[in-house]
Amino acid sequence: MNDTVSQVQGAVQTLTQSSDTLFLLLGAIMVFLMHAGFAFLEVGTVRKKNQVNALVKIFTDFGISTIAYFFFGYWIAYGANFFADAATLSQGNGYELVKFFFLLTFAAAIPAIVSGGIAERARFYPILIATFFTVGLVYPLFEGMIWNGNFGLQAWFESQFGYAFHDFAGSVVVHGVGGWIALVAVIFLGMRNGRIRAGKHTNFAPSNIPFLALGAWILCVGWFGFNVMSAQTLNGISGLVAMNSLMAMVGGIIAALIAGKNDPGFIHNGPLAGLVAVCAGSDLMHPLGALVTGVVAGVLFVWLFTHLQNKTKIDDVLGVWPLHGVCGAWGGVAAGIFGQTALGGLGGVSFIVQLMGTVTGIAIALIGGAIVYGSLHRLTGLRLTEEEEYNGADLSIHQISSMSDE
């Protein structure tokens, strides 16, 4: 009898482990696919002479990110490495290996975010070096503090305010950090040539709206893996996360439609703003709270992107600082508002902690970004020459155009 019970329990445990591994693997694949979304969103936005570079940057950034996160980033964040033998690594159906893959796709989003801001005038290899250090050192520093309790920050929040900083799927940890690092890189690079003409700002129109839209659609679909599968186990999956992601996405669409006055670029970035913002509190909010979160994010993106392009010298090509940096920060704070039981949320969150945790993430991103990009700016230079920029990154860096001459 005892042997039968043990066999049943063992079979259930094996089934649970294999199911969780498959669940997380599917999530990793969905988020990996989002990098195609980043690529096509950038391809559709930049001028034709920079389209090849956009595609190549996203792919090579992922490769460099994998090496940096495998050898350094994952160890810094979680204190784990992969230097055991294969038999040990494959225990539990290799769940820990798939977990690394899943979290790597989050980490690699940092340079993918930065790529959109610095497009059309950045040198190739210095940016890859920056990718190595941001993914290998800067990002995992904050990731480990929030998602693994490193350095006692979360314990201090709990002891002082009763709650830890809550960021379920990375509004601040991923998007906020990536967006604020991008702002630093954009400032170091300066404006693209030709942006100021006769003393006035000139905006470059997107080169390919269908590609831009394709990128947005891929990102929107993949985001449900990004958010829902952040539970990391089948037992933890929540339909509330899916519903809140949907409502925030729709809120961003509607807000961008109205605030952006039917502009297709805004309409396709609006849902992304809403999804960025809802990541943190998607497991806590009431769907109406998620809708409001998405609406605010959509308006924030349109207003800030318009202001940046027409009123400042910050030349953020895809608007990644408003989209990821500011909307990510708003998401961290919004979790502390709409996660409250008084507003229909599940509770277990503190507004002041959310505010403090968000500010901490911004500070680490700004300081880390300044060290990485500032050092490379002085040592190697970050920007193409004026002639290379005029010819376009495709020909200057890759010696090929996206369009055939035939």
Side-chain angles (χ1 to χ4, degrees):
M1 181 67 178
N2 289 335
D3 289 341
T4 302
V5 171
S6 297
Q7 289 175 353
V8 171
Q9 289 176 338
V12 170
Q13 183 179 11
T14 300
L15 180 62
T16 300
Q17 288 177 339
S18 58
S19 298
D20 286 343
T21 302
L22 178 60
F23 171 75
L24 198 57
L25 176 60
L26 293 174
I29 292 169
M30 289 181 72
V31 184
F32 179 41
L33 182 61
M34 288 176 70
H35 288 264
F38 283 120
F40 280 102
L41 190 70
E42 186 173 335
V43 167
T45 304
V46 300
R47 289 168 289 179
K48 290 182 179 179
K49 62 183 180 180
N50 298 296
Q51 290 180 327
V52 171
N53 181 244
L55 292 169
V56 173
K57 272 193 304 177
I58 300 295
F59 227 160
T60 51
D61 273 336
F62 193 90
I64 297 298
S65 296
T66 301
I67 297 302
Y69 200 63
F70 182 89
F71 286 103
F72 299 102
Y74 196 73
W75 171 67
I76 290 171
Y78 300 102
N81 61 64
F82 301 100
F83 299 112
D85 58 79
T88 301
L89 294 175
S90 62
Q91 289 178 358
N93 298 101
Y95 177 83
E96 290 301 320
L97 299 179
V98 173
K99 180 180 177 181
F100 164 80
F101 181 20
F102 182 68
L103 292 171
L104 163 67
T105 59
F106 281 50
I110 301 298
I113 291 167
V114 174
S115 178
I118 64 175
E120 301 200 318
R121 76 276 200 200
R123 294 178 63 198
F124 189 62
Y125 285 105
I127 296 305
L128 291 183
I129 295 171
T131 292
F132 184 88
F133 285 105
T134 52
V135 175
L137 297 174
V138 180
Y139 166 74
L141 177 65
F142 187 63
E143 177 192 18
M145 292 170 69
I146 302 305
W147 286 343
N148 198 46
N150 296 352
F151 303 110
L153 178 66
Q154 292 284 47
W156 184 80
F157 281 149
E158 288 191 52
S159 66
Q160 296 297 312
F161 304 99
Y163 299 104
F165 178 70
H166 188 88
D167 192 354
F168 179 69
S171 284
V172 180
V173 173
V174 180
H175 299 285
V177 168
W180 288 89
I181 289 176
L183 176 64
V184 174
V186 165
I187 291 173
F188 272 115
L189 277 162
M191 297 183 71
R192 287 167 290 173
N193 292 322
R195 280 294 318 284
I196 301 293
R197 297 179 184 175
K200 295 182 179 180
H201 283 68
T202 299
N203 295 324
F204 302 126
S207 62
N208 192 312
I209 295 297
F211 274 163
L212 187 157
L214 175 63
W217 275 101
I218 293 172
L219 284 166
C220 285
V221 172
W223 224 295
F224 287 87
F226 196 99
N227 283 2
V228 175
M229 292 172 173
S230 284
Q232 299 189 20
T233 62
L234 275 174
N235 186 52
I237 194 171
S238 171
L240 182 65
V241 176
M243 175 61 81
N244 284 341
S245 300
L246 175 67
M247 295 303 286
M249 181 187 76
V250 169
I253 294 172
I254 302 302
L257 168 67
I258 297 171
K261 301 177 181 178
N262 304 331
D263 183 290
F266 287 137
I267 291 170
H268 285 94
N269 276 281
L272 309 183
L275 286 162
V276 165
V278 82
C279 287
S282 56
D283 62 328
L284 296 177
M285 298 178 180
H286 186 279
L288 290 177
L291 178 64
V292 174
T293 298
V295 168
V296 173
V299 172
L300 275 174
F301 171 72
V302 172
W303 184 82
L304 282 172
F305 185 78
T306 303
H307 181 75
L308 283 178
Q309 297 299 327
N310 298 325
K311 299 293 177 70
T312 75
K313 292 184 178 181
I314 298 174
D315 190 6
D316 183 347
V317 179
L318 269 67
V320 296
W321 174 66
L323 182 67
H324 298 274
V326 176
C327 291
W330 157 240
V333 175
I337 299 173
F338 297 108
Q340 302 291 341
T341 54
L343 292 176
L346 297 181
V349 66
S350 162
F351 174 78
I352 187 64
V353 169
Q354 293 304 115
L355 184 61
M356 293 173 68
T358 299
V359 171
T360 302
I362 292 172
I364 289 174
L366 290 175
I367 295 170
I371 293 172
V372 172
Y373 285 95
S375 299
L376 289 168
H377 176 68
R378 293 180 65 87
L379 294 173
T380 68
L382 294 170
R383 184 160 179 162
L384 296 173
T385 66
E386 187 172 345
E387 180 181 0
E388 288 171 334
E389 186 179 339
Y390 176 81
N391 292 332
D394 293 358
L395 292 176
S396 298
I397 297 174
H398 309 290
Q399 289 81 51
I400 193 169
S401 170
S402 63
M403 306 296 290
S404 172
D405 292 332
E406 299 180 0

